């Protein structure tokens, strides 16, 4: 093949219609002759001193790697004849600051502007289609206009565009592909029109400045990790009316404080706000009819509002994980609020058929089952319900607890109430409890609990027989120190027996630190045993009391 070379050392075909290769030493400005109709692939590759290039009207395509690694190329003068730019055409042109793409351009291939580190702004023509990773690594790119004709934001197209601050997704876009805006660490605002239906995995991963996001009406699918490590998102606006369940949680940030659910939303997807333990409030509007599993798992809000359609089925899916129990016709999640140790107030729509609230506390509609006490409760707590479910009153700052009627107290119901000092089972005379059941660990880790008033009708006290009700499970490897720290039997130092009790309950024999005990005249039997370290026993020694007793007082305790 015959060729010719111009004065700059650039090699052409004999008729100068093809530009074959430029020398690596080419520098400064270079104008490609108008005779050239084709530029070979990699023709200007690694011309590191080339600063400006002017393209002729006779060229319609730029081939693969044409200007790759032209590290000092600052300006490219396009003509209206260009219709396509091939793979990595301007890749690693570190000094390229600005380009004016012609309106005739219809296709930009993969990585065409890969790591153009100085490129700050680009306007894409209306009919131009981009391949994946087109602008990956353009770390100075601050603004880009996305064509209104696009139906998809391609995979990795703006990956690692660290200076990109805001983006508007046009109304025709249906899908945002994998890694489309990943590692755009300056992106703080993104507006998605209602047309978007799919958001792929890692689409916005590591967008550390993103502070709010709106999900539109037609969104149908959001993949796992779509927003991983977006650590500054504060607010979510959720208007999607037909979105499928998430396979796993899509948000990972503790910074998310607010989640606004739109008025047209009827279904909240599974794993919707899972692990968002910085969420300040959860408001389930009246229009929401169904909730997916673990929608708010491990959230730790201060305020919760339940709309009128939150039935027992939906309620059991809110926070999870859970094990289900049933009370009458109502199903609830027994450890539903396990992680909600900041929850202060719960309110329920007055039209809700299953639940109600009073003073910020959550009950079943008949007020017979207590589901959760808000953590703002301090001082004295009086409860007159049939059942207190598992974890219902955890981490409260109460000092005194009154159980005023027959009741079942669930697992861990009062665990972590570190200020609790005294429990009243029943109250004064003729205010006794007919029946009491306490599940295992009900008062686990109540570190200051030391005093008890007992006025429960004889023989109607039921405890879990597989675990300690007052403290922790003591396995074979449990040290004596651990037992003393958590076991209720070591904590109680004062026991007062009510006037409606005739038989000392058997658990009293396990209270190791009671040194003195007063037995009122109504106690006629201590068959269950006395505290083992008792030093002083005070008895009513009237003739009537002595005759009624079924035990004999011995001086040598």
């Amino acid at each position: 093949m015959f060729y010719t070379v111009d004065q700059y050392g650039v090699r052409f075909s004999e008729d100068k219609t093809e530009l074959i290769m430029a020398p690596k030493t080419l520098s400064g400005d270079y104008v490609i002759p108008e005779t050239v109709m084709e530029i070979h692939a990699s023709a200007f590759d690694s011309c590191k001193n080339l600063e400006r290039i002017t393209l002729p009207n006779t060229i319609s395509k730029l081939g693969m790697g044409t200007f790759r690694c032209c590290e000092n190329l600052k300006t490219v003068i396009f003509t209206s004849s260009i219709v396509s730019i091939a793979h990595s055409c301007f890749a690693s042109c570190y000094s390229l600051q600005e380009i004016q793409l012609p309106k005739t351009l219809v296709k930009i291939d993969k990585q065409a502007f890969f790591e153009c580190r100085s490129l700050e702004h680009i306007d894409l023509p209306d009919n131009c289609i981009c391949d994946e990773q087109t602008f990956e690594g353009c770390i100075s790119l601050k603004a880009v206009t996305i064509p209104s004709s696009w139906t998809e934001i391609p995979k990795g197209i703006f990956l690692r565009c660290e200076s990109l601050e805001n983006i508007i997704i046009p109304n025709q876009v249906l899908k945002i592909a994998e890694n489309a805006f990943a590692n755009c660490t300056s992106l703080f605002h993104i507006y998605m029109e209602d047309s978007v239906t799919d958001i792929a995995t890692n689409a916005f991963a590591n967008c550390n400045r993103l502070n709010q996001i709106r999900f539109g009406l037609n969104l149908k699918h959001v993949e796992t990790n779509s927003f991983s490590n977006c650590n500054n998102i504060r607010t979510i606006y959720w208007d999607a009316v037909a979105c499928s369940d998430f396979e796993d949680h899509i948000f990972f940030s503790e910074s998310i404080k607010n989640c606004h659910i739109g008025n047209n939303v009827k279904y909240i997807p599974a794993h919707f706000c899972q692990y968002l333990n910085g969420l300040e409030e959860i408001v389930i509007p009246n229009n929401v009819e169904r909730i997916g599993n673990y929608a708010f798992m491990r959230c730790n809000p201060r305020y919760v509002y339940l709309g009128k359609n939150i039935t027992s089925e939906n309620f059991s899916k809110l926070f999870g994980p859970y094990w289900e129990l049933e009370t009458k016709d109502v199903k609830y999640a027994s450890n539903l609020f396990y992680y909600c140790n900041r929850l202060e107030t719960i309110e329920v729509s007055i039209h809700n058929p299953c639940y109600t609230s009073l003073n910020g506390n959550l009950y079943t509609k008949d007020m017979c089952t207590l589901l959760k006490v808000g953590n703002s409760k301090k001082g004295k707590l009086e409860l007159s319900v049939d059942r207190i479910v598992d974890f219902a009153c955890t981490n409260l700052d109460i000092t005194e607890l009154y159980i005023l009627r027959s009741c079942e107290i669930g697992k861990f119901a009062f665990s972590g109430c570190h200020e609790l000092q005294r429990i009243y089972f029943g109250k004064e005379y003729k205010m006794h409890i007919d029946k009491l059941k306490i599940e295992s660990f009900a008062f686990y880790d109540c570190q200051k609990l030391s005093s008890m008033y007992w006025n429960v009708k004889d023989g109607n006290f039921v405890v879990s027989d597989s675990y300690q009700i007052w403290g922790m499970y003591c396995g074979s490897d449990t040290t004596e120190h651990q037992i003393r720290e958590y076991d209720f039997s070591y904590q109680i130092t004062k026991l007062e027996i009510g006037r409606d009790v005739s038989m000392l309950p058997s658990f009293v024999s396990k209270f190791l630190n009671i040194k003195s005990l007063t037995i009122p005249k109504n106690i006629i039997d201590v068959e269950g045993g006395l505290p083992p370290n008792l030093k002083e026993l005070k008895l009513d020694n009237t003739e009537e009391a002595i005759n009624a007793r079924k035990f004999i007082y011995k001086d040598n305790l």
Side-chain angles (χ1 to χ4, degrees):
M1 178 179 179
F2 296 98
Y3 60 85
T4 184
V5 178
D6 69 6
Q7 60 184 339
Y8 302 100
V10 178
R11 183 181 300 178
F12 298 86
S13 62
E14 187 176 12
D15 59 1
K16 281 195 173 184
T17 59
E18 300 178 31
L19 192 154
I20 301 172
M21 181 68 68
K24 306 301 182 188
T25 56
L26 186 65
S27 62
D29 295 357
Y30 186 76
V31 179
I32 298 176
E34 290 288 339
T35 59
V36 175
M37 302 181 65
E38 179 185 352
I39 302 176
H40 285 203
S42 304
F44 292 87
D45 193 347
S46 299
C47 292
K48 296 185 177 182
N49 295 314
L50 182 65
E51 297 180 3
R52 178 186 172 98
I53 193 80
T54 301
L55 300 172
N57 285 317
T58 50
I59 295 175
S60 62
K61 299 178 181 180
L62 294 176
M64 179 182 295
T66 301
F67 298 98
R68 182 172 48 214
C69 295
C70 293
E71 295 179 359
N72 284 298
L73 181 63
K74 296 181 176 64
T75 306
V76 178
I77 306 299
F78 287 93
T79 62
S80 59
S81 60
I82 299 293
V83 296
S84 68
I85 300 174
H87 188 303
S88 64
C89 181
F90 293 96
S92 299
C93 291
Y94 298 148
S95 300
L96 189 61
Q97 295 179 339
E98 183 178 357
I99 50 174
Q100 296 292 330
L101 297 175
K103 294 182 179 181
T104 54
L105 186 64
V106 294
K107 181 66 183 299
I108 304 177
D109 283 342
K110 182 177 180 179
Q111 294 184 324
F113 293 91
F114 178 80
E115 291 202 352
C116 290
R117 298 176 182 176
S118 299
L119 189 62
E120 295 183 359
H121 177 84
I122 190 163
D123 282 322
L124 294 169
D126 285 343
N127 295 316
C128 181
I129 298 173
C130 291
D131 205 343
E132 59 187 56
Q133 299 173 280
T134 306
F135 300 100
E136 179 182 349
C138 294
I139 58 176
S140 297
L141 186 63
K142 294 181 179 180
V144 62
T145 302
I146 296 176
S148 58
S149 60
W150 282 16
T151 58
E152 178 178 340
I153 307 295
K155 177 181 178 181
I157 184 171
F158 300 110
L159 178 64
R160 297 188 296 112
C161 291
E162 297 174 0
S163 298
L164 192 62
E165 295 182 348
N166 61 76
I167 199 79
I168 297 176
I169 308 296
N171 196 39
Q172 301 301 316
V173 172
L174 302 177
K175 180 178 180 179
I176 300 175
E178 180 180 348
N179 290 311
F181 297 95
N183 296 89
C184 291
T185 53
S186 295
L187 187 64
F188 68 89
H189 177 72
I190 183 165
Y191 183 83
M192 286 187 287
E193 292 281 359
D194 290 336
S195 60
V196 175
T197 61
D198 289 85
I199 300 176
T201 186
N202 292 319
F204 296 93
N206 303 310
C207 292
N208 295 327
R209 286 193 63 202
L210 192 63
N211 60 13
Q212 69 177 38
I213 190 161
R214 175 186 176 268
F215 296 91
L217 289 171
N218 295 308
L219 186 66
K220 290 180 172 58
H221 184 67
V222 183
E223 292 187 11
T224 304
N225 298 327
S226 300
F227 296 86
S228 62
N229 297 319
C230 293
N231 295 324
N232 282 300
I233 296 179
R234 295 290 187 272
T235 305
I236 300 169
Y237 295 92
W238 184 262
D239 292 316
V241 298
C243 189
S244 60
D245 287 335
F246 303 157
E247 294 180 3
D248 202 343
H249 56 299
I250 62 170
F251 300 106
F252 294 80
S253 175
E254 296 183 3
S255 66
I256 297 176
K257 305 297 182 184
N258 303 292
C259 178
H260 300 279
I261 299 172
N263 292 329
N264 295 314
V265 176
K266 294 185 178 181
Y267 178 67
I268 297 176
H271 306 285
F272 175 56
C273 286
Q274 184 176 345
Y275 295 121
L276 299 187
N277 55 19
L279 208 58
E280 290 289 334
E281 62 179 33
I282 296 173
V283 177
I284 311 296
N286 287 330
N287 46 280
V288 173
E289 297 176 353
R290 295 187 304 119
I291 298 175
N293 288 327
Y294 312 125
F296 297 93
M297 176 179 171
R298 295 200 183 188
C299 289
N300 191 12
R302 297 184 186 276
Y303 172 82
V304 171
Y305 174 83
L306 304 178
K308 67 179 182 179
N309 292 313
I310 303 302
T311 62
S312 57
E313 178 183 0
N314 290 327
F315 181 77
S316 66
K317 296 178 179 179
L318 274 172
F319 298 100
Y322 60 89
W323 52 84
E324 291 183 352
L325 300 175
E326 293 188 5
T327 299
K328 296 182 179 178
D329 296 325
V330 177
K331 184 185 294 183
Y332 64 90
S334 63
N335 62 338
L336 183 69
F337 295 98
Y338 178 74
Y339 295 98
C340 299
N341 53 27
R342 295 193 308 163
L343 185 55
E344 297 175 353
T345 303
I346 304 173
E347 294 184 345
V348 182
S349 168
I350 60 173
H351 302 294
N352 190 297
C354 297
Y355 305 104
T356 189
S357 57
L358 180 66
N359 298 326
N361 304 330
L362 181 64
Y363 301 84
T364 52
K365 194 68 172 181
D366 58 8
M367 295 288 289
C368 290
T369 299
L370 175 64
L371 300 171
K372 182 63 179 176
V373 172
N375 283 13
S376 60
K377 184 64 179 177
K378 302 180 185 299
K380 181 171 69 173
L381 176 62
E382 293 186 349
L383 297 175
S384 183
V385 293
D386 294 340
R387 178 163 179 78
I388 302 168
V389 305
D390 303 351
F391 302 94
C393 306
T394 57
N395 303 305
L396 302 181
D397 287 334
I398 57 174
T399 56
E400 293 184 324
L401 171 64
Y402 291 80
I403 305 297
L404 300 180
R405 77 183 198 201
S406 297
C407 186
E408 296 181 17
I409 301 176
K411 297 179 181 70
F412 296 96
F414 294 92
S415 64
C417 293
H418 295 157
E419 301 301 317
L420 182 60
Q421 301 172 23
R422 184 170 172 83
I423 302 175
Y424 294 82
F425 293 107
K427 216 170 182 182
E428 65 275 1
Y429 186 48
K430 293 185 179 180
M431 287 287 290
H432 66 275
I433 292 176
D434 287 325
K435 187 175 182 180
L436 179 66
K437 180 179 180 181
I438 302 179
E439 298 283 356
S440 53
F441 309 131
F443 297 93
Y444 171 76
D445 202 20
C446 294
Q447 299 172 359
K448 294 184 178 180
L449 185 56
S450 61
S451 179
M452 179 191 295
Y453 175 82
W454 185 265
N455 201 14
V456 180
K457 191 174 179 180
D458 301 334
N460 286 329
F461 173 51
V462 180
V463 301
S464 171
D465 57 6
S466 57
Y467 295 94
Q468 298 176 344
I469 63 170
W470 312 114
M472 61 180 287
Y473 170 66
C474 296
S476 59
D477 59 344
T478 306
T479 65
E480 182 178 352
H481 173 75
Q482 288 174 318
I483 295 174
R484 288 183 177 275
E485 182 177 0
Y486 292 105
D487 189 355
F488 186 94
S489 64
Y490 282 88
Q491 294 179 229
I492 295 296
T493 59
K494 182 179 180 180
L495 175 65
E496 184 179 351
I497 304 298
R499 295 165 63 186
D500 296 306
V501 181
S502 61
M503 184 168 61
L504 205 63
S506 60
F507 65 79
V508 173
S509 65
K510 300 183 182 298
F511 290 165
L512 304 181
N513 284 327
I514 292 182
K515 308 300 184 184
S516 177
L517 181 64
T518 299
I519 303 291
K521 66 180 181 180
N522 45 287
I523 295 293
I524 63 173
D525 195 349
V526 292
E527 185 177 345
L530 296 170
N533 297 321
L534 193 64
K535 301 299 183 183
E536 181 182 18
L537 182 63
K538 299 177 182 179
L539 297 171
D540 186 328
N541 283 323
T542 62
E543 183 177 354
E544 177 186 2
I546 292 172
N547 291 335
R549 289 184 195 131
K550 296 179 181 179
F551 64 94
I552 300 174
Y553 174 79
K554 296 179 181 180
D555 290 330
N556 56 337
L557 290 171

